Structures are given as C-alpha cells and as structure tokens.
Amino acid sequence: MEFLTETEQSVLTIEQILELGDDSLGLKVIVNTKYNALMGVISCVLTARRLLTIEKLSDPKTGKKSMGMRHYNFSEITSVVVIGVDKKFREVLLKDIYQEDKRGKQLLMKKLVPPHLAEQTEEYEIDEDLLLGRVGHSPVDRNGKRNDVQLSPPPPPPPKIQRPEKWIIIDSIGDAFKKAIDVIHSEKDISVAVEGKGVGRSGTLAWLSIATSSIIFLFDMVKIGPSKAFEAGLREVLMDGSLLKILHDCRAVEDMLHHQFEINLNNVFDTQNDESVWFERPLPNPLCEGLARRVMYLRELRLILMKLMMVDLVQITNLYLGALRDKDSATVGTIELHVVPAEVQRLRRHRLNNCISVHDPYISCSKDTFTILPRRKSK
C-alpha cells in the first residue's frame, strides 16, 4: 500500500480496513459514529471481536488531546476518514507485533527486561525454539547446547466461544418478548446480570440482562413490571435446572429474587474470583487489564462530573445577579441579604436543564448526582 501524505484524505469502510490488515496500523484517522467523532491513530484491528482500537486520541474540532485508548465496535462506526500516517508509531507497532527471522513472521509478545538484567541477558543467545514451544525440554551440556533435541507438536489452540455482537431492549410483553424467551430456552448456557438501586432483598430491580451465544437481551423491568416479566417467562428461565446460568457474584441477585419474587436460581456458575488470585505472580493478563480499566477513565469521569456540578452553580449565580438589580429601591430596602433569595428557594422545585450537552428533559442534574425523572403519560 502506498501511504498517504499529511495533506491527503480518504474515506475507508470497515471492509477496506480489514483488507489492509497490518498496513492499516499507524494510520491517522477520524472515526465517526452516530454520536461523536474522535481523531487518533489505529493501533489494533481485532477481526474476531470486530473491534477497532485507536490511540493518541484528540478532538478533531478543537485538537484537545485525551488520555488512554478507544475501542470501537465495527457496528457503531459510520465512517473512517484517513488523514495521514504516523510512520514512527507504525514502526513501533509492527516491531512489537512481529519478529522477522528465517522462518518467517512469528507472533511474539512484547516483554520488557529490567535494566539490571539487561547486561546479563546480552551474553546469552535466546533459544526461540524452546521459547515458542517448538521443542520439549532436554538436558544441556556445559556449553549450553541441548542434547537429543526432539520436536514436539505445538499445543492445540484454545476453543473459540461464539460471542454475541448485538443487543436489543425488550420493554413490553409482546412478540419480541416471546421470541426472546424462545431463543434463551434454545441455549445450553446464558450469562445473567441485573442492575438497579441497592440490589438485594430491599432493593429495586431496573434491568435484567441475559446474553446468549448470538444476542444480548436487555429487559426493562421498570417499564414491563418485574411481576409481569417473570410470569411471562423469565421465572421459568431462571429456575430451569437444565439451563446453566452464569453470573458474577450471585449473592445479592439471589437475595433479591428470592425475597421479592419467590424465585430461586437453579444451575448456576459463579465467576467471582477467589481473592487470593491477586497474590499470584506474575498476575494473569486478564486481571492486569481489569486493574487498569478500574482507574483508566476516572480522571476523565471527574471532569465530566465537575461540569455537571457546575449546572446548579451557574443557575444560582444567574439568579443572584438579578436578585437586587431587577427590583425597585423600596423592595431592595426590605431584603435581608443573609436569607437565600426566594427565586433560589423555588429553584429546587423545578427541573434543572442539562446545559452541558444535548438537553434531555427527563434528566435532572444536581451538584452530586443526576436523576432520571419519570416520563409523563401521553394523553
């Protein structure tokens, strides 16, 4: 592929990016979705998971840079505009992914060597045959060479599990609900999760999510009504002994279902980790990734929350600015400045507009939280 110059642009589809393969790494792009646009450099394309990863993030309009990386599912991308190539970053990416030798390209994992070990490791030649599992362990002589080398077949690849690529919201008892129940019953195992307020025997259930091998069903328990939803088929699903339910920490979920809806989960596999796993060294990569994700976006989340907190302050300040100015002299003389103005006291009774982004009349913002207000019934 002949790479673009800094001034050239072209629009690529996901299929074209997949055809480029490794040649797409290092491309400077603007990824457009239905909701926003983000500029960065392509660092990874995962065909199996249908994910596109970009790094060196920035806002295409303001140029403001962001930390971390962004993973896009192919389904949410509307277009990818290529605006150039980051050649240095591309070289780094290709160097990390491939190690060229006489046998061709071998996929390797980048491993950093501590400085105090670097000098010692330079004296020894790394045995890639042994490292990559091409041969079994065998005795070595004083010169460090193996005796009676025997080739062993590579280990079989791990089994692939079909992963759902789309989700659908079910918010009423109808054909969609019935079809969802039929699909769920056709599976051997499903993933289950719940969301709500204070999940437990005294909590409130808001969502019940069930993932099959092909699709994820998001049951809106607030709109449907938990009792109606369970009686329409979800109770049978959760209590079906032939259908494996996979949950992460089933304790609070079971407590809520049992005490509020008289449902006892049956045939459950709990994925909650034993806490002693955190003391393993080296820590498995999935757990390392989990640790990183817990803190990766907190700094950005703080900025978003700070903006939301400013909504109240801005509106109150505007009321304070006119509290004296817009009144006649006689009224001003009767106002006690240590008392909160009546306009501000009445403000808490009204819905606060979200002036940070697109206005949603059903979201009420306050200094420490936001609340989704109940929708009015249409006449």
Side-chain angles (χ1 to χ4, degrees), residues 288-306:
C288 290
E289 183 177 354
L291 289 177
R293 288 182 179 276
R294 289 184 184 180
V295 296
M296 182 183 298
Y297 303 106
L298 290 182
R299 295 173 67 251
E300 297 176 48
L301 178 60
R302 169 186 168 273
L303 296 179
I304 295 174
L305 294 177
M306 289 292 290

Side-chain angles (χ1 to χ4, degrees), residues 34-49:
K34 297 179 181 179
Y35 310 102
N36 58 16
L38 196 62
M39 184 165 59
V41 182
I42 296 178
S43 63
C44 185
V45 180
L46 297 177
T47 306
R49 296 183 61 184

Side-chain angles (χ1 to χ4, degrees), residues 127-182:
D127 191 334
E128 292 189 0
D129 287 335
L130 184 60
L131 179 64
L132 298 177
R134 299 191 186 102
V135 296
H137 294 274
S138 59
V140 296
D141 57 22
R142 294 181 180 180
N143 296 324
K145 296 183 179 181
R146 293 195 306 272
N147 296 323
D148 302 328
V149 175
Q150 295 180 353
L151 295 178
S152 60
K160 293 184 178 180
I161 298 178
Q162 186 176 353
R163 179 176 296 147
E165 299 177 355
K166 57 184 178 180
W167 49 267
I168 182 173
I169 293 179
I170 308 293
D171 58 4
S172 63
I173 305 294
D175 291 339
F177 187 97
K178 295 177 181 177
K179 290 180 181 179
I181 297 298
D182 291 339

Side-chain angles (χ1 to χ4, degrees), residues 16-44:
Q16 290 173 321
I17 292 177
L18 292 177
E19 290 178 1
L20 289 176
D22 292 340
D23 286 339
S24 66
L25 301 182
L27 290 180
K28 293 182 179 179
V29 296
I30 297 177
V31 180
N32 295 301
T33 69
K34 297 179 181 179
Y35 310 102
N36 58 16
L38 196 62
M39 184 165 59
V41 182
I42 296 178
S43 63
C44 185

Side-chain angles (χ1 to χ4, degrees), residues 114-127:
H116 68 282
L117 297 179
E119 297 181 358
Q120 301 179 22
T121 56
E122 289 177 357
E123 300 178 1
Y124 301 96
E125 180 180 356
I126 298 177
D127 191 334

Side-chain angles (χ1 to χ4, degrees), residues 184 190-192 208-212 215-219 234 237:
I184 293 171
I190 57 174
S191 305
V192 180
L208 175 65
S209 306
I210 296 180
T212 68
I215 190 172
I216 301 173
F217 298 106
L218 306 178
F219 293 94
L234 286 178
V237 167

Side-chain angles (χ1 to χ4, degrees), residues 237-285:
V237 167
L238 297 175
M239 299 184 66
D240 186 354
S242 62
L243 180 60
L244 177 64
K245 272 73 69 176
I246 305 169
L247 293 87
H248 187 78
D249 194 351
C250 64
R251 293 172 296 179
V253 178
E254 168 76 359
D255 189 45
M256 170 179 277
L257 294 175
H258 174 79
H259 288 279
Q260 293 191 26
F261 309 107
E262 297 182 352
I263 296 175
N264 292 326
L265 290 172
N266 198 359
N267 193 6
V268 173
F269 184 96
D270 197 317
T271 61
Q272 187 177 18
N273 296 320
D274 183 358
E275 293 182 352
S276 62
V277 73
W278 299 110
F279 295 94
E280 293 184 10
R281 296 296 183 274
L283 192 65
N285 283 337

